[in-house]
Amino acid sequence: MIKIQDLIDGHPDFALWHGTKSNITGSLKSGDEIIGKAKESIRNIWGKIAEERNILISEIRSENAPEFFSGPIADNNAVDLGNTIRYLNKDFDYSGIAFALWKTAALECAKNGSELANGIISLIEASRESYPKFFDNQSIKAELKSALSIANGLTAGTGKVLRLIKLPRNGFFWDPRDNSKSKVNVLSRMPFENDIISYSELFFSESIPLDHFEIEEVKVA
C-alpha cells in the first residue's frame, strides 16, 4: 500500500503536488478561506438572474448555465459559468487544499488557475454583458468589484507548482468523492501492477506553512 507519509518521504512514482497562479504568502490555504466573501457574489448574481427569469436557483443546471446569458463571453466561458452552479449545488468541494498525485496534473492546475475564481470572473463579465441593469446599484457594484479583485488575485499571479515535503501537524487528507470527509492515510493496496491508485486527487483540511513545500516557478500561458 502507499501511505501518505511514503509520498512525502519520496515515493518513486508519486508525490503530493499543488499547482496555482495565486500569490502565496505565509501559508497555502483552502479555497473557501481564500475566496471569502467573493463566493457570496455567485449566489447573489444567480439569485438576480433566477428572479429575472422567474425560476429558482435550484432549477438551474451547470450544463444549462450559458443559456441564461447572451453574447460571446458566455459562449467562450461555458465551463466556468457551469462551475459556479456546481459550486452552489455543492457538486465539488472547495473547502480544502487540492493535491494531485502527478506533477503534470499540478502543472495543468497552475496553467488553468482556480476553478472558482475563473467562474466568478466569467459570471461577473457575462452578467455585465447580458444584465447591465444589475450593476446600477452602487452597493452591488462595490461588492462585485471586491469579488473581482479577489478572483483576479487567484488567477493573475505567476505559475508555481508546490510539492509537499513535510506532513503538517494539523489537519488531514480526504478523498473529494467522499462526502463524509473521512481521513485518508492509504491510497491503494498491493500488488500495484494489478491495482489502480484509489485517488487521483486528495484534499487537505487545514492551512499548510510554505516551508512544508518545495516550490518551483513554472511558465503559464
Side-chain angles (χ1 to χ4, degrees):
M1 64 179 64
I2 300 177
K3 298 179 180 179
I4 296 292
Q5 191 64 56
D6 295 338
L7 299 177
I8 295 172
D9 289 342
H11 190 275
D13 300 310
F14 306 103
L16 290 169
W17 303 91
H18 180 82
T20 185
K21 286 200 293 186
S22 64
N23 295 315
I24 307 171
T25 57
S27 64
L28 191 63
K29 298 179 174 65
S30 68
D32 262 354
E33 185 176 350
I34 296 172
I35 290 293
K37 293 182 180 179
K39 63 184 179 180
E40 294 303 318
S41 296
I42 297 176
R43 185 173 300 280
N44 291 340
I45 290 178
W46 276 116
K48 289 185 174 297
I49 293 172
E51 183 180 342
E52 180 84 4
R53 298 295 186 94
N54 197 30
I55 61 173
L56 300 174
I57 296 179
S58 58
E59 297 179 62
I60 304 173
R61 305 263 65 84
S62 61
E63 61 270 21
N64 299 329
E67 298 174 9
F68 291 86
F69 304 89
S70 60
I73 293 177
D75 293 338
N76 295 332
N77 298 278
V79 173
D80 291 335
L81 292 172
N83 280 339
T84 63
I85 290 295
R86 291 180 61 213
Y87 180 68
L88 292 183
N89 292 338
K90 299 182 179 179
D91 291 340
F92 65 84
D93 201 316
Y94 208 75
S95 61
I97 300 170
F99 285 93
L101 297 183
W102 290 270
K103 184 178 182 181
T104 52
L107 284 167
E108 283 300 308
C109 291
K111 176 182 176 181
N112 296 328
S114 162
E115 286 181 321
L116 188 54
N118 289 334
I120 290 172
I121 293 169
S122 296
L123 184 59
I124 292 175
E125 291 180 347
S127 296
R128 287 188 193 277
E129 184 177 65
S130 302
Y131 304 95
K133 66 180 182 180
F134 289 174
F135 298 85
D136 291 341
N137 185 293
Q138 291 301 314
S139 63
I140 292 176
K141 287 173 67 174
E143 174 198 327
L144 297 182
K145 181 179 179 180
S146 174
L148 197 58
S149 175
I150 293 170
N152 282 328
L154 288 172
T155 58
T158 58
K160 56 187 72 67
V161 171
L162 300 85
R163 184 172 73 88
L164 190 65
I165 58 174
K166 181 180 178 182
L167 188 66
R169 287 186 176 184
N170 301 316
F172 61 91
F173 290 94
W174 85 85
D175 174 7
R177 300 167 299 181
D178 181 5
N179 291 328
S180 68
K181 295 184 182 178
S182 56
K183 185 176 182 179
V184 170
N185 291 312
V186 178
L187 299 185
S188 68
R189 299 182 180 278
M190 293 180 69
F192 300 129
E193 60 269 20
N194 295 320
D195 196 6
I196 61 172
I197 298 298
S198 299
Y199 315 115
S200 60
E201 181 182 54
L202 293 173
F203 282 145
F204 190 75
S205 62
E206 300 286 345
S207 298
I208 307 177
L210 284 187
D211 64 5
H212 284 46
F213 296 94
E214 286 183 349
I215 303 174
E216 177 186 350
E217 299 282 339
V218 295
K219 291 184 178 180
V220 294

